Amino acid sequence: MISSDDFINVYRSRNFEAYQACLRVLAHNEIAGQDLRKPVNVSWHRDDDIPPLAWLCKSTPDKTQFVLGSQVEKFGDTFFEGVWDGPVHKAMFRESANFFGTGCSLLRNILFTPPRHCFDALYVATCDGVSYVTNSMALAIRLALPDIDDEALRDLAIVLKKHSDDSSALGADLAETFATKLDGWAFYRVMYHNFSLSADGVPLRRFHLEQKPNLTFATYRRNLRRVAKRLSRNAKSRRRKFPLGVVSTISNGYDSTACTAIAKAAGCKLAHTITGDVRGRSDSGEEVGAQLGIKVKAHRHILKSSDRSLSLHLDEEALAYASEFLATSGFGDDVVYASFERDIQNCVVFEGSFGDGIWAKKLRTGPGLPTGLRTAKSKNEFHLRNGTIFVPLPVVGAKFVQAIRRVLRQPDMKPFFLDVPYDRPIPRRIVEEAGGKREAFGQRKGATAPTPQNLEPQLAGAFRTVMKRYQSLVSYLNADTPKRG
């Protein structure tokens, strides 16, 4: 898609107007001369047996079928699962730069909306005029390739995971959507930008233009608080059929602690942390949480033993809770959330993913939220089943990251530089000015997310376990008897 080094250099420049101009070029090239598929003969079906937040669109030239899980919110011809910084009843998530979830609007064309970050995406499988669009990778594979054998399933999963990593490294704007082709089916993974389907079933993105940032530390923090408050209000709205709780996660590192401080200022009253030693020391956020004035609930690590490393051997016992984290675009590290899944069921969770790319002292991240990290990409099936909406707060306002670099260079930030390898002045200032003591957090790089071992041999089994969750939906489509609802 991008062949000119000069174009990429302009895109990555420090000039916001040049960056926006590049987005307009990308947007024009994406849809120029393309015929968009229009919704025809639309039918709706609720399926209470699939994961509550899962959904599917099956589109053909003469029919459009939607199947929604029991807790997917529907307003007229618009549906969504997630939160954004606007009123629920207007259902304008497609216009928001801060949408954490997925959705679809039936306008002149069908417009699909992925989450506004690069950790997850929407999945498209298309062949001979039939297109499936869904928020579950496992479901897309199951519908497109019902007879796939274990070896081919494992290989396809590996390819899709690699595409996820490659796409994340390029970021929301420069990544290709096409992932692979198998048995005539083309698979796509679409991050961040709204998209419609072409007449041939190819996803065509509508590139989202950002507002010009002009930040000081005070305005940056104010914006984070404002967005967090609006997200919380959206989550709790009585206009929802299924209102959501609001919590955060906290450790004694930088990112989740700063996010908890922001969430607390937005009305969040409870944070969850992992207790017990991992790699010989604790990463618990109980002490700094008390200093911030928020209630902290401690949970035992899913690995149970306090003296183990973060290596998780995938034996039969581990697979019982790890399969849904493996059957995603990630490698399973988010299995740590199984430690307290009941406490975050049907909740928005503010967390610190992407802090490594946005808040590090020496920022090397370019525009478009690119990250070479493979972490934090394995929550999706857990999210769909448990009703948990994850909000990685550091991505807010970070798509044009040069504005945050300018904050770091401002003179009033100097007292918050420690001049040590693990140093993040922005979150340190957020936490300290909210009441956290300097020695209580951010002293050493910690971790609680495990790294599953012997991953590849377990992939086919993990995906098949998750695919069974969608059997009623598959049976419904096979019966081809759409119902209005």
Side-chain angles (χ1 to χ4, degrees), residues 13-14 41 61 63 88-89 92 145 196 215 221 247 261 293 372 378 380 395 415 437 461 467 469 479 481:
S13 73
R14 299 180 179 182
N41 190 17
K63 185 184 298 184
V88 168
H89 66 281
M92 294 294 286
L145 302 168
S196 297
L215 300 179
R221 179 175 57 188
V247 299
S378 53
N380 192 51
V395 306
K437 296 181 180 179
M467 287 174 179
R469 299 177 179 179
T481 54

Side-chain angles (χ1 to χ4, degrees), residues 214-221 254 355-365 400-419 423-430:
N214 185 17
L215 300 179
T216 63
F217 173 81
T219 58
Y220 178 56
R221 179 175 57 188
Y254 279 113
D356 285 328
I358 295 301
W359 287 337
K361 182 172 64 176
K362 294 183 178 180
L363 286 174
R364 296 182 177 87
T365 305
F400 185 70
V401 73
Q402 185 60 37
I404 298 175
R405 285 193 176 99
R406 295 189 187 112
V407 172
L408 279 171
R409 292 196 294 267
Q410 292 165 4
D412 61 346
M413 290 300 300
K414 288 183 179 179
F416 301 94
F417 280 77
L418 300 187
D419 295 323
D423 193 5
R424 299 184 185 179
I426 289 176
R428 174 163 292 285
R429 184 172 180 180
I430 289 172

Side-chain angles (χ1 to χ4, degrees), residues 274 300-302 325 332-341 448-450:
I274 296 294
R300 193 179 184 188
H301 199 288
I302 191 67
F325 297 94
D333 55 306
D334 294 307
V335 69
V336 68
Y337 284 100
S339 303
F340 45 95
E341 66 172 89
T448 56

Side-chain angles (χ1 to χ4, degrees), residues 245-419:
V246 176
V247 299
S248 72
T249 59
I250 189 170
S251 68
N252 60 28
Y254 279 113
D255 303 332
S256 64
T257 307
C259 291
T260 293
I262 295 294
K264 198 246 181 192
C268 177
K269 298 179 180 179
L270 177 63
H272 295 281
T273 195
I274 296 294
T275 190
D277 292 342
V278 177
R279 290 175 175 167
R281 60 187 178 87
S282 174
D283 198 34
S284 171
E286 292 171 278
E287 179 183 0
V288 69
Q291 295 167 3
L292 294 174
I294 192 168
K295 180 181 178 182
V296 178
K297 185 173 182 179
H299 302 266
R300 193 179 184 188
H301 199 288
I302 191 67
L303 296 185
K304 298 179 182 178
S305 173
S306 63
D307 58 357
R308 292 178 63 177
S309 71
L310 289 175
S311 295
L312 174 62
H313 180 74
L314 293 170
D315 55 20
E316 185 174 345
E317 179 183 359
L319 284 170
Y321 55 81
S323 288
E324 66 182 342
F325 297 94
L326 303 180
T328 63
S329 60
F331 66 89
D333 55 306
D334 294 307
V335 69
V336 68
Y337 284 100
S339 303
F340 45 95
E341 66 172 89
R342 292 184 181 179
D343 292 87
I344 59 175
Q345 188 173 27
N346 300 324
C347 286
V348 168
V349 177
F350 290 104
E351 45 106 12
S353 298
F354 208 59
D356 285 328
I358 295 301
W359 287 337
K361 182 172 64 176
K362 294 183 178 180
L363 286 174
R364 296 182 177 87
T365 305
L369 305 175
T371 176
L373 298 174
R374 298 171 57 219
T375 55
K377 298 178 184 177
S378 53
K379 302 182 185 78
N380 192 51
E381 291 296 339
F382 174 84
H383 144 71
L384 300 180
R385 176 185 64 80
N386 207 50
T388 305
I389 308 297
F390 292 97
V391 175
L393 203 56
V395 306
V396 171
K399 190 154 178 283
F400 185 70
V401 73
Q402 185 60 37
I404 298 175
R405 285 193 176 99
R406 295 189 187 112
V407 172
L408 279 171
R409 292 196 294 267
Q410 292 165 4
D412 61 346
M413 290 300 300
K414 288 183 179 179
F416 301 94
F417 280 77
L418 300 187
D419 295 323

Side-chain angles (χ1 to χ4, degrees), residues 107-361:
L107 306 170
R108 186 175 181 181
N109 307 106
I110 307 175
L111 190 70
F112 300 98
T113 303
R116 302 293 191 216
H117 53 70
C118 297
F119 295 114
D120 230 312
L122 286 175
Y123 299 89
V124 181
T126 185
C127 180
D128 295 335
V130 178
S131 296
Y132 296 111
V133 183
T134 177
N135 55 358
S136 167
M137 180 198 295
L139 177 57
I141 297 172
R142 172 64 181 82
L143 291 170
L145 302 168
D147 300 319
I148 190 171
D149 61 38
D150 283 358
E151 183 178 359
L153 176 57
R154 179 202 66 203
D155 292 345
L156 177 58
I158 292 171
V159 168
L160 292 174
K161 288 172 185 284
K162 184 179 185 304
H163 179 266
S164 168
D165 292 340
D166 293 345
S167 297
S168 296
L170 290 170
D173 304 324
L174 300 184
E176 294 278 2
T177 60
F178 175 74
T180 192
K181 194 167 186 178
L182 183 63
D183 292 348
W185 284 89
F187 289 87
Y188 299 83
R189 182 178 182 275
V190 190
M191 301 185 305
Y192 196 91
H193 297 291
N194 297 337
F195 67 95
S196 297
L197 297 180
S198 73
D200 296 327
V202 176
L204 302 174
R205 291 166 293 182
R206 314 291 184 87
F207 282 76
H208 187 89
L209 299 179
E210 311 300 319
Q211 294 183 351
K212 184 175 182 178
N214 185 17
L215 300 179
T216 63
F217 173 81
T219 58
Y220 178 56
R221 179 175 57 188
R222 188 181 307 129
N223 183 56
L224 290 175
R225 288 175 174 173
R226 177 184 61 83
V227 170
K229 186 174 183 178
R230 290 182 178 181
L231 293 173
S232 298
R233 188 182 301 138
N234 182 290
K236 298 174 182 178
S237 173
R238 294 182 180 179
R239 300 283 190 127
R240 287 178 175 269
K241 188 175 180 180
F242 303 98
L244 301 166
V246 176
V247 299
S248 72
T249 59
I250 189 170
S251 68
N252 60 28
Y254 279 113
D255 303 332
S256 64
T257 307
C259 291
T260 293
I262 295 294
K264 198 246 181 192
C268 177
K269 298 179 180 179
L270 177 63
H272 295 281
T273 195
I274 296 294
T275 190
D277 292 342
V278 177
R279 290 175 175 167
R281 60 187 178 87
S282 174
D283 198 34
S284 171
E286 292 171 278
E287 179 183 0
V288 69
Q291 295 167 3
L292 294 174
I294 192 168
K295 180 181 178 182
V296 178
K297 185 173 182 179
H299 302 266
R300 193 179 184 188
H301 199 288
I302 191 67
L303 296 185
K304 298 179 182 178
S305 173
S306 63
D307 58 357
R308 292 178 63 177
S309 71
L310 289 175
S311 295
L312 174 62
H313 180 74
L314 293 170
D315 55 20
E316 185 174 345
E317 179 183 359
L319 284 170
Y321 55 81
S323 288
E324 66 182 342
F325 297 94
L326 303 180
T328 63
S329 60
F331 66 89
D333 55 306
D334 294 307
V335 69
V336 68
Y337 284 100
S339 303
F340 45 95
E341 66 172 89
R342 292 184 181 179
D343 292 87
I344 59 175
Q345 188 173 27
N346 300 324
C347 286
V348 168
V349 177
F350 290 104
E351 45 106 12
S353 298
F354 208 59
D356 285 328
I358 295 301
W359 287 337
K361 182 172 64 176

